[in-house]
Short mmCIF file of all heavy atoms in Angstrom, two decimals:
data_model
loop_
_atom_site.label_atom_id
_atom_site.label_comp_id
_atom_site.label_asym_id
_atom_site.label_seq_id
_atom_site.Cartn_x
_atom_site.Cartn_y
_atom_site.Cartn_z
N MET E 1 27.75 16.77 -32.05
CA MET E 1 27.71 17.99 -32.74
C MET E 1 26.96 19.00 -31.93
O MET E 1 25.82 18.67 -31.55
CB MET E 1 27.03 17.80 -34.15
CG MET E 1 26.87 19.06 -34.92
SD MET E 1 26.04 18.71 -36.49
CE MET E 1 27.12 19.58 -37.55
N PRO E 2 27.45 20.18 -31.64
CA PRO E 2 26.76 21.15 -30.80
C PRO E 2 25.50 21.65 -31.51
O PRO E 2 25.43 21.76 -32.71
CB PRO E 2 27.77 22.28 -30.62
CG PRO E 2 29.09 21.71 -31.03
CD PRO E 2 28.83 20.62 -31.99
N ALA E 3 24.49 21.95 -30.68
CA ALA E 3 23.31 22.53 -31.21
C ALA E 3 23.26 24.05 -30.99
O ALA E 3 23.67 24.49 -29.93
CB ALA E 3 22.09 21.87 -30.47
N PHE E 4 22.78 24.77 -31.95
CA PHE E 4 22.61 26.19 -31.82
C PHE E 4 21.15 26.48 -31.69
O PHE E 4 20.34 26.14 -32.58
CB PHE E 4 23.19 26.94 -33.03
CG PHE E 4 24.66 26.77 -33.22
CD1 PHE E 4 25.18 25.82 -34.06
CD2 PHE E 4 25.52 27.50 -32.43
CE1 PHE E 4 26.58 25.69 -34.22
CE2 PHE E 4 26.92 27.33 -32.57
CZ PHE E 4 27.42 26.41 -33.45
N VAL E 5 20.78 27.12 -30.59
CA VAL E 5 19.36 27.35 -30.31
C VAL E 5 19.18 28.86 -30.11
O VAL E 5 19.94 29.50 -29.48
CB VAL E 5 18.97 26.60 -29.01
CG1 VAL E 5 17.55 26.86 -28.62
CG2 VAL E 5 19.26 25.14 -29.10
N GLY E 6 18.05 29.34 -30.77
CA GLY E 6 17.72 30.71 -30.59
C GLY E 6 16.95 31.01 -29.33
O GLY E 6 17.06 30.28 -28.33
N ALA E 7 16.11 32.00 -29.32
CA ALA E 7 15.31 32.40 -28.12
C ALA E 7 14.30 31.34 -27.82
O ALA E 7 13.70 30.78 -28.74
CB ALA E 7 14.66 33.71 -28.38
N VAL E 8 14.14 31.03 -26.57
CA VAL E 8 13.19 30.03 -26.11
C VAL E 8 12.32 30.66 -24.98
O VAL E 8 12.87 31.29 -24.09
CB VAL E 8 13.94 28.76 -25.56
CG1 VAL E 8 12.91 27.83 -24.96
CG2 VAL E 8 14.73 28.15 -26.62
N LYS E 9 11.02 30.45 -25.04
CA LYS E 9 10.12 30.92 -23.99
C LYS E 9 9.42 29.66 -23.46
O LYS E 9 8.74 28.98 -24.20
CB LYS E 9 9.07 31.91 -24.55
CG LYS E 9 8.08 32.33 -23.50
CD LYS E 9 7.10 33.30 -24.08
CE LYS E 9 6.06 33.74 -23.03
NZ LYS E 9 5.05 34.53 -23.52
N VAL E 10 9.58 29.42 -22.16
CA VAL E 10 8.88 28.32 -21.51
C VAL E 10 7.80 28.83 -20.62
O VAL E 10 8.04 29.59 -19.64
CB VAL E 10 9.90 27.49 -20.68
CG1 VAL E 10 9.20 26.38 -19.93
CG2 VAL E 10 11.04 26.97 -21.51
N ASN E 11 6.55 28.49 -20.88
CA ASN E 11 5.42 28.96 -20.10
C ASN E 11 5.32 28.16 -18.80
O ASN E 11 5.08 28.68 -17.75
CB ASN E 11 4.17 28.99 -20.90
CG ASN E 11 4.18 29.95 -21.96
OD1 ASN E 11 4.71 31.05 -21.82
ND2 ASN E 11 3.50 29.66 -23.12
N SER E 12 5.39 26.78 -18.91
CA SER E 12 5.30 25.95 -17.72
C SER E 12 5.90 24.57 -18.11
O SER E 12 5.94 24.17 -19.26
CB SER E 12 3.87 25.83 -17.27
OG SER E 12 3.14 25.08 -18.25
N VAL E 13 6.34 23.94 -17.05
CA VAL E 13 6.86 22.56 -17.13
C VAL E 13 6.18 21.76 -16.05
O VAL E 13 6.19 22.15 -14.89
CB VAL E 13 8.40 22.55 -16.98
CG1 VAL E 13 8.95 21.13 -17.04
CG2 VAL E 13 9.10 23.32 -18.04
N GLY E 14 5.57 20.58 -16.45
CA GLY E 14 4.87 19.79 -15.49
C GLY E 14 5.83 19.09 -14.51
O GLY E 14 7.02 19.11 -14.67
N GLY E 15 5.21 18.55 -13.53
CA GLY E 15 5.96 17.88 -12.44
C GLY E 15 6.81 16.74 -12.88
O GLY E 15 7.89 16.51 -12.42
N SER E 16 6.33 15.88 -13.75
CA SER E 16 7.14 14.70 -14.21
C SER E 16 7.49 14.79 -15.68
O SER E 16 7.49 13.86 -16.37
CB SER E 16 6.31 13.43 -13.98
OG SER E 16 5.15 13.46 -14.72
N SER E 17 7.79 16.04 -16.12
CA SER E 17 8.20 16.23 -17.52
C SER E 17 9.68 16.55 -17.62
O SER E 17 10.32 16.78 -16.61
CB SER E 17 7.31 17.33 -18.12
OG SER E 17 7.52 18.53 -17.41
N VAL E 18 10.12 16.66 -18.87
CA VAL E 18 11.51 16.92 -19.13
C VAL E 18 11.60 18.09 -20.15
O VAL E 18 10.87 18.08 -21.09
CB VAL E 18 12.22 15.67 -19.78
CG1 VAL E 18 13.63 16.04 -20.19
CG2 VAL E 18 12.25 14.56 -18.76
N PHE E 19 12.43 19.05 -19.80
CA PHE E 19 12.69 20.18 -20.74
C PHE E 19 14.13 20.12 -21.05
O PHE E 19 15.02 20.23 -20.20
CB PHE E 19 12.26 21.49 -20.07
CG PHE E 19 12.56 22.70 -20.99
CD1 PHE E 19 11.81 22.96 -22.01
CD2 PHE E 19 13.69 23.51 -20.66
CE1 PHE E 19 12.07 24.03 -22.84
CE2 PHE E 19 13.98 24.60 -21.42
CZ PHE E 19 13.15 24.86 -22.56
N ASN E 20 14.48 20.08 -22.34
CA ASN E 20 15.85 19.99 -22.77
C ASN E 20 16.15 20.92 -23.92
O ASN E 20 15.32 21.03 -24.86
CB ASN E 20 16.21 18.55 -23.16
CG ASN E 20 17.64 18.40 -23.63
OD1 ASN E 20 18.57 18.75 -22.87
ND2 ASN E 20 17.83 17.99 -24.87
N ILE E 21 17.30 21.58 -23.92
CA ILE E 21 17.73 22.41 -25.03
C ILE E 21 19.16 21.96 -25.36
O ILE E 21 20.02 21.92 -24.47
CB ILE E 21 17.68 23.88 -24.74
CG1 ILE E 21 16.28 24.34 -24.53
CG2 ILE E 21 18.34 24.70 -25.85
CD1 ILE E 21 16.16 25.76 -24.13
N GLY E 22 19.42 21.61 -26.59
CA GLY E 22 20.77 21.22 -26.98
C GLY E 22 20.94 19.73 -27.03
O GLY E 22 19.98 18.97 -27.11
N ASP E 23 22.20 19.31 -27.00
CA ASP E 23 22.58 17.89 -27.12
C ASP E 23 22.27 17.17 -25.82
O ASP E 23 22.38 17.72 -24.76
CB ASP E 23 24.04 17.74 -27.43
CG ASP E 23 24.43 18.37 -28.73
OD1 ASP E 23 23.47 18.46 -29.65
OD2 ASP E 23 25.58 18.70 -28.96
N VAL E 24 21.86 15.93 -25.97
CA VAL E 24 21.55 15.14 -24.83
C VAL E 24 21.84 13.67 -25.12
O VAL E 24 21.64 13.22 -26.26
CB VAL E 24 20.03 15.26 -24.34
CG1 VAL E 24 19.14 14.72 -25.41
CG2 VAL E 24 19.80 14.66 -23.03
N PHE E 25 22.39 12.94 -24.16
CA PHE E 25 22.66 11.51 -24.35
C PHE E 25 21.50 10.68 -23.94
O PHE E 25 21.02 9.80 -24.70
CB PHE E 25 23.90 11.13 -23.51
CG PHE E 25 24.23 9.68 -23.61
CD1 PHE E 25 24.80 9.12 -24.73
CD2 PHE E 25 24.05 8.81 -22.57
CE1 PHE E 25 25.09 7.81 -24.83
CE2 PHE E 25 24.34 7.48 -22.65
CZ PHE E 25 24.85 6.95 -23.77
N THR E 26 20.91 10.90 -22.80
CA THR E 26 19.78 10.10 -22.26
C THR E 26 18.80 11.03 -21.53
O THR E 26 19.25 11.79 -20.70
CB THR E 26 20.26 8.99 -21.32
OG1 THR E 26 21.19 8.16 -22.05
CG2 THR E 26 19.10 8.20 -20.79
N ILE E 27 17.61 10.86 -21.80
CA ILE E 27 16.55 11.54 -21.01
C ILE E 27 15.67 10.47 -20.39
O ILE E 27 15.13 9.58 -21.06
CB ILE E 27 15.61 12.47 -21.91
CG1 ILE E 27 16.47 13.60 -22.50
CG2 ILE E 27 14.51 13.03 -21.08
CD1 ILE E 27 15.71 14.51 -23.37
N SER E 28 15.59 10.49 -19.08
CA SER E 28 14.84 9.45 -18.35
C SER E 28 14.05 10.05 -17.24
O SER E 28 14.47 10.13 -16.08
CB SER E 28 15.85 8.46 -17.74
OG SER E 28 15.19 7.47 -17.04
N PRO E 29 12.82 10.55 -17.56
CA PRO E 29 11.95 11.10 -16.55
C PRO E 29 11.46 9.93 -15.62
O PRO E 29 11.27 8.80 -16.06
CB PRO E 29 10.79 11.72 -17.28
CG PRO E 29 10.78 11.01 -18.59
CD PRO E 29 12.19 10.61 -18.89
N SER E 30 11.21 10.19 -14.40
CA SER E 30 10.72 9.20 -13.49
C SER E 30 9.73 9.76 -12.54
O SER E 30 9.89 10.91 -12.05
CB SER E 30 11.90 8.54 -12.70
OG SER E 30 12.53 9.51 -11.98
N SER E 31 8.64 8.98 -12.33
CA SER E 31 7.64 9.42 -11.38
C SER E 31 6.88 8.17 -10.95
O SER E 31 7.01 7.10 -11.55
CB SER E 31 6.67 10.40 -11.96
OG SER E 31 5.92 9.81 -13.03
N ASN E 32 6.14 8.25 -9.88
CA ASN E 32 5.26 7.15 -9.48
C ASN E 32 4.01 7.67 -8.86
O ASN E 32 3.93 8.87 -8.46
CB ASN E 32 6.06 6.24 -8.47
CG ASN E 32 6.45 6.93 -7.18
OD1 ASN E 32 6.12 8.09 -7.03
ND2 ASN E 32 7.21 6.26 -6.40
N ALA E 33 2.99 6.85 -8.78
CA ALA E 33 1.75 7.26 -8.28
C ALA E 33 1.03 6.06 -7.69
O ALA E 33 1.27 4.94 -8.16
CB ALA E 33 0.86 7.90 -9.34
N LYS E 34 0.17 6.30 -6.73
CA LYS E 34 -0.65 5.21 -6.14
C LYS E 34 -2.05 5.61 -6.29
O LYS E 34 -2.48 6.65 -5.94
CB LYS E 34 -0.26 5.03 -4.65
CG LYS E 34 -1.01 3.88 -4.02
CD LYS E 34 -0.64 3.74 -2.52
CE LYS E 34 0.75 3.27 -2.43
NZ LYS E 34 1.12 2.89 -1.03
N THR E 35 -2.87 4.69 -6.85
CA THR E 35 -4.24 4.96 -7.12
C THR E 35 -5.15 4.04 -6.38
O THR E 35 -4.96 2.80 -6.44
CB THR E 35 -4.49 4.82 -8.67
OG1 THR E 35 -3.67 5.67 -9.41
CG2 THR E 35 -5.95 5.17 -9.00
N TYR E 36 -6.13 4.54 -5.68
CA TYR E 36 -7.10 3.75 -4.94
C TYR E 36 -8.45 3.93 -5.70
O TYR E 36 -8.84 5.01 -6.09
CB TYR E 36 -7.27 4.22 -3.55
CG TYR E 36 -6.10 4.04 -2.68
CD1 TYR E 36 -5.34 5.20 -2.25
CD2 TYR E 36 -5.67 2.86 -2.25
CE1 TYR E 36 -4.22 5.04 -1.46
CE2 TYR E 36 -4.52 2.70 -1.50
CZ TYR E 36 -3.80 3.81 -1.11
OH TYR E 36 -2.71 3.62 -0.32
N ALA E 37 -9.12 2.80 -5.94
CA ALA E 37 -10.36 2.88 -6.63
C ALA E 37 -11.25 1.76 -6.10
O ALA E 37 -10.82 0.65 -5.87
CB ALA E 37 -10.17 2.75 -8.13
N GLY E 38 -12.55 2.05 -6.03
CA GLY E 38 -13.49 1.06 -5.57
C GLY E 38 -14.02 0.16 -6.73
O GLY E 38 -13.56 0.27 -7.86
N ALA E 39 -14.92 -0.68 -6.43
CA ALA E 39 -15.46 -1.61 -7.38
C ALA E 39 -16.14 -0.88 -8.54
O ALA E 39 -16.94 0.06 -8.31
CB ALA E 39 -16.42 -2.55 -6.72
N GLY E 40 -15.83 -1.24 -9.78
CA GLY E 40 -16.44 -0.63 -10.86
C GLY E 40 -15.86 0.75 -11.31
O GLY E 40 -16.46 1.45 -12.08
N SER E 41 -14.75 1.14 -10.75
CA SER E 41 -14.23 2.53 -10.99
C SER E 41 -13.65 2.68 -12.36
O SER E 41 -13.73 3.71 -12.98
CB SER E 41 -13.15 2.84 -9.97
OG SER E 41 -13.72 2.93 -8.68
N PHE E 42 -12.96 1.64 -12.89
CA PHE E 42 -12.28 1.78 -14.17
C PHE E 42 -13.01 1.12 -15.31
O PHE E 42 -12.42 0.81 -16.33
CB PHE E 42 -10.87 1.22 -14.08
CG PHE E 42 -10.01 1.95 -13.05
CD1 PHE E 42 -9.58 1.33 -11.93
CD2 PHE E 42 -9.66 3.31 -13.27
CE1 PHE E 42 -8.76 2.01 -11.01
CE2 PHE E 42 -8.88 3.99 -12.38
CZ PHE E 42 -8.49 3.38 -11.28
N ASN E 43 -14.30 0.89 -15.20
CA ASN E 43 -15.05 0.34 -16.31
C ASN E 43 -15.30 1.38 -17.34
O ASN E 43 -15.66 2.52 -17.10
CB ASN E 43 -16.48 -0.14 -15.74
CG ASN E 43 -16.32 -1.33 -14.81
OD1 ASN E 43 -15.45 -2.12 -15.01
ND2 ASN E 43 -17.24 -1.50 -13.93
N THR E 44 -15.07 0.96 -18.62
CA THR E 44 -15.36 1.85 -19.71
C THR E 44 -16.14 1.15 -20.78
O THR E 44 -16.07 -0.13 -20.87
CB THR E 44 -13.97 2.34 -20.36
OG1 THR E 44 -13.27 1.20 -20.78
CG2 THR E 44 -13.19 3.17 -19.37
N GLY E 45 -16.85 1.81 -21.61
CA GLY E 45 -17.66 1.21 -22.67
C GLY E 45 -19.05 1.76 -22.72
O GLY E 45 -19.48 2.59 -21.92
N ASP E 46 -19.77 1.30 -23.67
CA ASP E 46 -21.20 1.72 -23.89
C ASP E 46 -22.09 0.72 -23.28
O ASP E 46 -21.90 -0.53 -23.40
CB ASP E 46 -21.47 1.85 -25.40
CG ASP E 46 -20.63 2.98 -26.06
OD1 ASP E 46 -20.29 3.94 -25.34
OD2 ASP E 46 -20.35 2.79 -27.25
N GLY E 47 -23.14 1.20 -22.60
CA GLY E 47 -24.16 0.29 -22.09
C GLY E 47 -23.75 -0.57 -20.96
O GLY E 47 -24.11 -1.73 -20.89
N LEU E 48 -22.90 -0.03 -20.03
CA LEU E 48 -22.49 -0.87 -18.93
C LEU E 48 -23.59 -1.00 -17.90
O LEU E 48 -24.36 -0.09 -17.66
CB LEU E 48 -21.27 -0.21 -18.26
CG LEU E 48 -19.96 -0.31 -18.94
CD1 LEU E 48 -18.91 0.49 -18.21
CD2 LEU E 48 -19.48 -1.73 -19.08
N TYR E 49 -23.62 -2.11 -17.23
CA TYR E 49 -24.51 -2.30 -16.10
C TYR E 49 -23.65 -2.87 -14.98
O TYR E 49 -23.21 -4.03 -15.03
CB TYR E 49 -25.67 -3.33 -16.46
CG TYR E 49 -26.54 -3.62 -15.29
CD1 TYR E 49 -27.47 -2.73 -14.84
CD2 TYR E 49 -26.45 -4.86 -14.65
CE1 TYR E 49 -28.27 -2.95 -13.78
CE2 TYR E 49 -27.25 -5.17 -13.55
CZ TYR E 49 -28.18 -4.22 -13.10
OH TYR E 49 -28.96 -4.42 -12.07
N VAL E 50 -23.40 -2.04 -14.03
CA VAL E 50 -22.54 -2.37 -12.85
C VAL E 50 -23.42 -2.31 -11.64
O VAL E 50 -24.01 -1.36 -11.33
CB VAL E 50 -21.35 -1.46 -12.75
CG1 VAL E 50 -20.46 -1.84 -11.55
CG2 VAL E 50 -20.52 -1.47 -13.99
N LEU E 51 -23.43 -3.43 -10.91
CA LEU E 51 -24.19 -3.49 -9.68
C LEU E 51 -23.24 -3.84 -8.50
O LEU E 51 -22.78 -4.93 -8.39
CB LEU E 51 -25.26 -4.62 -9.82
CG LEU E 51 -26.22 -4.78 -8.59
CD1 LEU E 51 -27.01 -3.53 -8.33
CD2 LEU E 51 -27.10 -5.99 -8.79
N ASN E 52 -23.04 -2.82 -7.68
CA ASN E 52 -22.19 -2.99 -6.49
C ASN E 52 -23.01 -2.67 -5.27
O ASN E 52 -23.25 -1.54 -4.90
CB ASN E 52 -20.98 -2.02 -6.57
CG ASN E 52 -20.07 -2.33 -7.68
OD1 ASN E 52 -19.82 -3.42 -8.02
ND2 ASN E 52 -19.59 -1.28 -8.35
N ARG E 53 -23.49 -3.70 -4.68
CA ARG E 53 -24.35 -3.48 -3.55
C ARG E 53 -23.60 -2.95 -2.34
O ARG E 53 -24.06 -2.07 -1.64
CB ARG E 53 -25.10 -4.80 -3.16
CG ARG E 53 -26.02 -5.21 -4.26
CD ARG E 53 -26.84 -6.42 -3.85
NE ARG E 53 -27.57 -6.91 -4.99
CZ ARG E 53 -28.87 -6.68 -5.14
NH1 ARG E 53 -29.52 -5.95 -4.29
NH2 ARG E 53 -29.47 -7.16 -6.23
N GLN E 54 -22.49 -3.56 -2.06
CA GLN E 54 -21.66 -3.10 -0.89
C GLN E 54 -20.20 -3.22 -1.30
O GLN E 54 -19.71 -4.27 -1.54
CB GLN E 54 -21.99 -3.98 0.31
CG GLN E 54 -21.47 -3.38 1.56
CD GLN E 54 -22.00 -4.14 2.80
OE1 GLN E 54 -22.34 -5.31 2.68
NE2 GLN E 54 -21.99 -3.52 3.96
N SER E 55 -19.57 -2.06 -1.32
CA SER E 55 -18.19 -1.96 -1.81
C SER E 55 -17.34 -1.24 -0.80
O SER E 55 -17.78 -0.23 -0.20
CB SER E 55 -18.09 -1.29 -3.16
OG SER E 55 -16.74 -1.15 -3.56
N SER E 56 -16.14 -1.73 -0.58
CA SER E 56 -15.17 -1.04 0.32
C SER E 56 -13.80 -1.13 -0.28
O SER E 56 -13.35 -2.19 -0.77
CB SER E 56 -15.16 -1.79 1.68
OG SER E 56 -14.23 -1.21 2.54
N THR E 57 -13.10 0.00 -0.29
CA THR E 57 -11.75 0.08 -0.81
C THR E 57 -10.76 0.20 0.33
O THR E 57 -10.82 1.13 1.14
CB THR E 57 -11.58 1.33 -1.73
OG1 THR E 57 -12.55 1.24 -2.78
CG2 THR E 57 -10.19 1.32 -2.30
N ASN E 58 -9.93 -0.79 0.45
CA ASN E 58 -8.94 -0.81 1.60
C ASN E 58 -7.72 0.04 1.16
O ASN E 58 -6.99 -0.29 0.19
CB ASN E 58 -8.53 -2.26 1.84
CG ASN E 58 -7.56 -2.39 3.00
OD1 ASN E 58 -7.30 -1.44 3.70
ND2 ASN E 58 -7.04 -3.52 3.21
N THR E 59 -7.45 1.14 1.87
CA THR E 59 -6.39 2.00 1.53
C THR E 59 -5.24 1.90 2.55
O THR E 59 -4.34 2.71 2.51
CB THR E 59 -6.85 3.45 1.49
OG1 THR E 59 -7.43 3.85 2.73
CG2 THR E 59 -7.85 3.67 0.37
N TYR E 60 -5.28 0.93 3.46
CA TYR E 60 -4.19 0.81 4.43
C TYR E 60 -3.03 0.09 3.77
O TYR E 60 -3.19 -0.99 3.17
CB TYR E 60 -4.69 0.04 5.63
CG TYR E 60 -3.62 -0.29 6.63
CD1 TYR E 60 -3.07 0.77 7.38
CD2 TYR E 60 -3.07 -1.55 6.78
CE1 TYR E 60 -2.06 0.47 8.26
CE2 TYR E 60 -2.09 -1.82 7.72
CZ TYR E 60 -1.56 -0.82 8.47
OH TYR E 60 -0.56 -1.05 9.34
N ASP E 61 -1.85 0.64 3.83
CA ASP E 61 -0.67 0.09 3.21
C ASP E 61 0.44 0.06 4.19
O ASP E 61 0.88 1.12 4.61
CB ASP E 61 -0.31 0.89 1.99
CG ASP E 61 0.72 0.22 1.14
OD1 ASP E 61 1.04 -0.95 1.42
OD2 ASP E 61 1.23 0.87 0.23
N ARG E 62 0.90 -1.10 4.62
CA ARG E 62 1.88 -1.18 5.72
C ARG E 62 3.32 -0.73 5.29
O ARG E 62 4.01 -0.18 6.06
CB ARG E 62 1.95 -2.62 6.27
CG ARG E 62 0.71 -3.06 6.93
CD ARG E 62 0.86 -4.44 7.55
NE ARG E 62 1.59 -5.34 6.67
CZ ARG E 62 1.97 -6.55 7.06
NH1 ARG E 62 1.64 -6.96 8.24
NH2 ARG E 62 2.65 -7.30 6.24
N ASP E 63 3.67 -1.08 4.05
CA ASP E 63 5.00 -0.69 3.64
C ASP E 63 5.03 0.78 3.20
O ASP E 63 4.05 1.35 2.73
CB ASP E 63 5.50 -1.60 2.48
CG ASP E 63 4.60 -1.61 1.31
OD1 ASP E 63 3.48 -1.16 1.45
OD2 ASP E 63 5.02 -2.05 0.24
N VAL E 64 6.16 1.44 3.39
CA VAL E 64 6.27 2.87 3.14
C VAL E 64 6.54 3.09 1.67
O VAL E 64 6.02 4.01 1.05
CB VAL E 64 7.36 3.47 3.99
CG1 VAL E 64 7.57 4.93 3.74
CG2 VAL E 64 7.06 3.26 5.48
N VAL E 65 7.40 2.32 1.06
CA VAL E 65 7.81 2.53 -0.33
C VAL E 65 7.33 1.38 -1.19
O VAL E 65 7.65 0.26 -0.93
CB VAL E 65 9.36 2.67 -0.41
CG1 VAL E 65 9.79 2.86 -1.83
CG2 VAL E 65 9.88 3.79 0.49
N ASP E 66 6.57 1.70 -2.26
CA ASP E 66 6.13 0.67 -3.18
C ASP E 66 6.93 0.64 -4.45
O ASP E 66 7.15 -0.45 -4.98
CB ASP E 66 4.64 0.97 -3.55
CG ASP E 66 3.72 0.72 -2.42
OD1 ASP E 66 4.01 -0.17 -1.56
OD2 ASP E 66 2.67 1.35 -2.29
N GLN E 67 7.37 1.76 -4.91
CA GLN E 67 8.08 1.85 -6.20
C GLN E 67 9.22 2.84 -6.07
O GLN E 67 9.10 4.01 -6.36
CB GLN E 67 7.14 2.28 -7.28
CG GLN E 67 7.74 2.24 -8.71
CD GLN E 67 6.75 2.62 -9.75
OE1 GLN E 67 5.58 2.91 -9.46
NE2 GLN E 67 7.16 2.58 -10.95
N PRO E 68 10.36 2.39 -5.54
CA PRO E 68 11.43 3.40 -5.32
C PRO E 68 12.03 3.87 -6.63
O PRO E 68 12.33 3.14 -7.52
CB PRO E 68 12.46 2.56 -4.53
CG PRO E 68 12.22 1.20 -4.86
CD PRO E 68 10.74 1.08 -5.10
N ILE E 69 12.21 5.18 -6.71
CA ILE E 69 12.83 5.84 -7.90
C ILE E 69 14.02 6.66 -7.56
O ILE E 69 14.60 7.31 -8.39
CB ILE E 69 11.82 6.69 -8.67
CG1 ILE E 69 11.31 7.83 -7.82
CG2 ILE E 69 10.68 5.86 -9.24
CD1 ILE E 69 10.49 8.81 -8.56
N ALA E 70 14.53 6.59 -6.30
CA ALA E 70 15.60 7.46 -5.86
C ALA E 70 16.93 7.16 -6.58
O ALA E 70 17.66 8.03 -6.93
CB ALA E 70 15.80 7.29 -4.35
N GLY E 71 17.23 5.91 -6.88
CA GLY E 71 18.47 5.56 -7.47
C GLY E 71 18.42 5.50 -8.98
O GLY E 71 19.34 5.05 -9.67
N ASN E 72 17.34 5.96 -9.61
CA ASN E 72 17.15 5.92 -11.08
C ASN E 72 17.52 7.18 -11.76
O ASN E 72 16.89 7.54 -12.76
CB ASN E 72 15.73 5.48 -11.40
CG ASN E 72 15.42 4.11 -10.96
OD1 ASN E 72 16.36 3.29 -10.80
ND2 ASN E 72 14.19 3.79 -10.65
N ALA E 73 18.40 7.96 -11.24
CA ALA E 73 18.79 9.27 -11.85
C ALA E 73 19.55 9.17 -13.14
O ALA E 73 20.18 8.22 -13.49
CB ALA E 73 19.51 10.10 -10.83
#
C-alpha cells in the first residue's frame, strides 16, 4: 500500500544511519569499527581498584580487512 507523506525536514543524518520515507521491504544499515584499548579501559562499576603497572596495547594488524561489508547491500 503506498504511503502518503507530507512535508519533511531533515536536519542531519549520521554516517551509519538510515533515513526512509514511504514503503520499504528491508532496511539493513551496515558499518564496522576497530577499537584499540589498553588494560583496564572498559572497566565499569563503583569502587574499582585497577592496578596496571606496565601496559602496552598492540595496534599492529597484518590483515587489511577484518569485517568486510562490501557485499552486504
Side-chain angles (χ1 to χ4, degrees):
M1 176 181 228
F4 296 100
V5 179
V8 175
K9 179 181 178 185
V10 178
N11 291 327
S12 67
V13 176
S16 62
S17 60
V18 174
F19 177 75
N20 179 59
I21 295 179
D23 297 335
V24 65
F25 178 72
T26 301
I27 296 178
S28 179
S30 58
S31 66
N32 61 6
K34 184 181 288 191
T35 303
Y36 297 109
S41 296
F42 297 115
N43 291 332
T44 58
D46 295 330
L48 286 175
Y49 177 74
V50 179
L51 180 64
N52 295 321
R53 295 186 188 259
Q54 194 170 20
S55 175
S56 175
T57 302
N58 183 8
T59 59
Y60 176 70
D61 191 9
R62 295 186 318 174
D63 56 345
V64 177
V65 178
D66 289 330
Q67 185 177 3
I69 61 171
N72 294 334

